[in-house]
Amino acid sequence: MDNVVDGSSEPAGPPRTDVLTSTYWQARYDEGRTGWDRGGPSPMLGSWLEAGILRPCRILIPGCGRGHEVVDLAARGFDVTAVDFAEAAVQNLQTRLREKQLEAEVVRADLLEFTPPEPFAVIYEQTCLCALHPSLWHAYEARLRQWLLPGGLLCALFMQTDKPEGPPFGCDLSAMQRLFSETAGWRWLGHPHRIDHPMGLHELACVIQKTPIPSLT
Ligand SMILES: C[S@@+](CC[C@H](N)C(=O)[O-])C[C@H]1O[C@@H](n2cnc3c(N)ncnc32)[C@H](O)[C@@H]1O
């Protein structure tokens, strides 16, 4: 796994002090410090399915963690690709998929280097952005856009917190509207919806579309 940021595989050069590494996240899984994990799919997944916003398609789940949503969507016939750079997360998900005899592509990779062979109709982004240092947000936003088909949907759950040292780094609405802006090639659909999180925080559920026709600017 060449593109995973960890002590053994990081290329020579200056250390990336601005990024939380796979070693950091692996340690959180090893130590059971996974307060973000609901133990099952987010209720918002069910709402988006019920509303017909999510229909079987080629879908990406970046920073999937233990991937409860991956299992649920795979069982519903979605063509799911799930990415995480923590070995524990990937292994846990692969084991559960095997036990349930379900298929999904599970990739261990750094999202800042991940290059899928084809774009996706939908990206389900559940508290992955808030796990990235804000200095990486622009690079990640550009990747999300690149990974989507024109007109594709970003179904996002943005964690709300004011803990500046993170993670989670707060993804407040105005910052998200600036990041996923019209000039950057995004269009917001409907209104953000508040979802309580077991950590005592809450998320904003937002549906943002990659504009169907690329801007000429
Ligand atoms: C807060 S957890 C959320 C996990 C999952 N989405 C959930 O809601 O249960 C963030 C996840 O993103 C992964 N992650 C963070 N930065 C990453 C990166 N640069 N590349 C790949 N995965 C990353 C971590 O390993 C962790 O599993």
Side-chain angles (χ1 to χ4, degrees):
M1 192 62 37
D2 292 333
N3 54 354
V4 171
V5 180
D6 65 25
S8 59
S9 59
E10 198 168 0
R16 293 169 66 182
T17 51
D18 60 340
V19 71
L20 294 162
T21 64
S22 61
T23 309
Y24 168 86
W25 289 101
Q26 177 66 37
R28 294 201 55 146
Y29 284 102
D30 290 344
E31 293 159 16
R33 292 188 298 121
T34 55
W36 62 81
D37 191 325
R38 287 184 166 86
S42 163
M44 201 56 216
L45 185 77
S47 303
W48 277 328
L49 285 162
E50 212 170 294
I53 291 168
L54 290 178
R55 296 173 195 201
C57 65
R58 179 168 155 75
I59 187 168
L60 173 68
I61 307 195
C64 60
R66 295 197 181 97
H68 306 294
E69 294 75 19
V70 177
V71 174
D72 189 323
L73 292 172
R76 294 172 189 270
F78 284 72
D79 174 5
V80 190
T81 297
V83 180
D84 204 292
F85 65 5
E87 182 66 30
V90 165
Q91 272 184 8
N92 183 286
L93 174 55
Q94 283 171 330
T95 303
R96 280 180 310 118
L97 285 167
R98 224 177 6 253
E99 282 168 1
K100 292 178 186 287
Q101 299 184 308
L102 292 170
E103 300 256 336
E105 188 182 5
V106 183
V107 182
R108 184 177 172 229
D110 185 335
L111 288 161
L112 297 161
E113 296 176 6
F114 168 65
T115 310
E118 288 170 50
F120 297 88
V122 176
I123 298 177
Y124 180 85
E125 159 39 271
Q126 180 174 296
T127 58
C128 181
L129 180 70
C130 71
L132 300 175
H133 190 276
S135 64
L136 300 172
W137 284 1
H138 272 290
Y140 182 58
E141 173 274 325
R143 289 186 155 264
L144 290 171
R145 193 155 25 91
Q146 192 186 331
W147 295 334
L148 272 177
L149 289 166
L153 296 183
L154 174 65
C155 292
L157 287 148
F158 295 131
M159 189 65 85
Q160 304 300 296
T161 167
D162 56 3
K163 194 176 146 215
E165 72 280 14
F169 296 99
C171 301
D172 75 71
L173 187 56
S174 54
M176 295 302 97
Q177 286 169 333
R178 283 194 302 276
L179 188 63
F180 298 97
S181 68
E182 206 172 309
T183 45
W186 298 97
R187 182 161 76 187
W188 287 60
L189 305 181
H191 295 290
H193 184 83
R194 182 191 159 121
I195 298 286
D196 288 331
H197 194 280
M199 281 201 292
L201 303 171
H202 70 276
E203 298 156 298
L204 287 182
C206 304
V207 180
I208 314 171
Q209 185 178 36
K210 172 172 167 172
T211 47
I213 301 166
S215 143
L216 297 176
T217 56

